[in-house]
Amino acid sequence: MSIVERSNNLKESQDHIQSLEKGLKVIQIFSEQIPTLTTSEASKRTGYSRPTTRRILLTLERLGFAESKNGVFSLTAHALTLGYAYLSSQNMWNIAQPFMQEFVKQTGESSSIAVLDGTDIIYVARVPTKRIMTITLNVGSRLPAYATSMGHILLAHLSQEEFNKYIEKVKLDKLTDNTLTTKEELIAELKQVRKRGWAGVEQQLEEGLRSIAVPIRNAEGTVFAALNCSAHAGRISNEKLKDEYLPLLFKAADKISKGIATSLTIEQP
């Protein structure tokens, strides 16, 4: 869910701080595709007035989250502290890293963890090997949930109310010839994912890429993240992914889930 969507639910609330919302929205318009912006460009993309946008950018600069040169703004490394606050509070990386590295060592294939945010998945941990995708993936990268194995896991475990909201707003673009582009196809596939307990995507996001994913559960047993393995379709068969890699992936996810549950138990007074 985007900041704009979330804020719509708070418009009538006295707890809604509009200036904070605007500042976060300005931060979010920077991306790999748009690393720099002038005040006018930022104003156009956010819909805020130029004076408001300028004040926000200057505030971010004073706080160290942005820098400017000749009127062009960009984020600084300090902005990473916002994402790191999430990662460190969840303790995801410290718990998952050794198990992901063990899996990658056993298979020679990349592995990642993602959580759901609106209609996208966001990468929160990643152990790469050889580059198999044309897009670069790092912690913080976003991909459409409907075309990814981790997305299928996370969507399949949404409540009916949450899924209804998702299916109403998602746009199913055709990314490859294998992409599921109708809501009926996606719903049918997610039913199978929930039934069998794992997801497999065959070149739906990108030609030549296949992946499998399994759920990661919190201490209450609720699925809140997904762990995947991605491989090149010309090198690794579906049979090998399912027969050899899937059991190892389940094992890693189980260890991560137990590690998360244990850490929460220890932290409680």
Side-chain angles (χ1 to χ4, degrees):
M1 184 183 295
S2 69
I3 286 178
V4 173
E5 291 170 322
R6 288 191 179 96
S7 68
N8 287 337
N9 298 327
L10 292 170
K11 290 300 184 184
E12 304 302 323
S13 171
Q14 294 180 349
D15 296 326
H16 182 222
I17 304 176
Q18 194 173 45
S19 58
L20 176 59
E21 173 200 331
K22 290 180 178 180
L24 292 172
K25 185 176 180 181
V26 169
I27 290 176
Q28 285 191 320
I29 62 176
F30 290 93
S31 66
E32 181 180 355
Q33 292 74 33
I34 311 171
T36 61
L37 286 165
T38 63
T39 299
S40 296
E41 291 169 339
S43 173
K44 183 177 180 180
R45 289 185 175 276
T46 58
Y48 303 145
S49 68
R50 194 176 183 283
T52 295
T53 305
R54 181 175 179 276
R55 288 197 300 271
I56 292 172
L57 287 169
L58 290 176
T59 299
L60 291 173
E61 185 175 23
R62 283 194 295 270
L63 294 173
F65 290 105
E67 60 186 6
S68 65
K69 184 176 181 180
N70 298 324
V72 178
F73 289 85
S74 61
L75 296 181
T76 66
H78 188 56
L80 291 172
T81 59
L82 297 175
Y84 182 72
Y86 165 79
L87 293 176
S88 59
S89 66
Q90 298 295 316
N91 203 20
M92 174 73 76
W93 176 243
N94 289 336
I95 293 172
Q97 181 184 21
F99 304 122
M100 294 175 70
Q101 289 177 333
E102 180 183 8
F103 174 83
V104 170
K105 184 178 179 180
Q106 291 173 322
T107 63
E109 304 299 336
S110 301
S111 183
S112 306
I113 293 177
V115 296
L116 193 64
D117 184 57
T119 58
D120 293 336
I121 60 170
I122 297 182
Y123 280 66
V124 296
R126 179 164 169 78
V127 178
T129 53
K130 301 172 184 176
R131 185 178 178 184
I132 60 174
M133 303 180 69
T134 58
I135 57 176
T136 301
L137 293 177
N138 299 296
V139 171
S141 294
R142 303 176 72 97
L143 291 175
Y146 71 89
T148 63
S149 58
M150 289 190 288
H152 284 190
I153 286 289
L154 296 166
L155 292 174
H157 289 86
L158 289 177
S159 68
Q160 191 61 54
E161 181 181 359
E162 291 171 326
F163 183 74
N164 289 342
K165 291 179 181 179
Y166 167 83
I167 209 69
E168 286 177 5
K169 62 188 176 184
V170 69
K171 182 181 178 183
L172 304 177
D173 294 322
K174 187 179 179 65
L175 306 176
T176 72
D177 290 339
N178 292 341
T179 306
L180 303 179
T181 54
T182 70
K183 295 181 178 180
E184 292 74 19
E185 288 178 319
L186 180 60
I187 291 172
E189 176 61 23
L190 294 179
K191 286 182 179 179
Q192 291 301 311
V193 169
R194 191 177 182 102
K195 182 178 179 180
R196 66 175 178 247
W198 61 276
V201 166
E202 175 66 25
Q203 303 183 72
Q204 292 188 35
L205 177 69
E206 182 177 314
E207 296 288 349
L209 178 71
R210 57 172 51 122
S211 67
I212 53 175
V214 297
I216 295 176
R217 301 177 184 272
N218 60 21
E220 289 73 39
T222 302
V223 174
F224 77 103
L227 174 71
N228 89 331
C229 169
S230 300
H232 195 284
R235 183 166 48 81
I236 302 295
S237 66
N238 272 319
E239 290 71 25
K240 188 167 186 175
L241 271 180
K242 296 175 187 177
D243 297 341
E244 297 183 27
Y245 294 175
L246 185 59
L248 297 173
L249 199 63
F250 268 120
K251 186 177 180 180
D254 184 58
K255 290 180 178 178
I256 294 170
S257 297
K258 288 179 178 177
I260 291 171
T262 301
S263 69
L264 291 176
T265 302
I266 293 174
E267 290 172 4
Q268 290 179 354

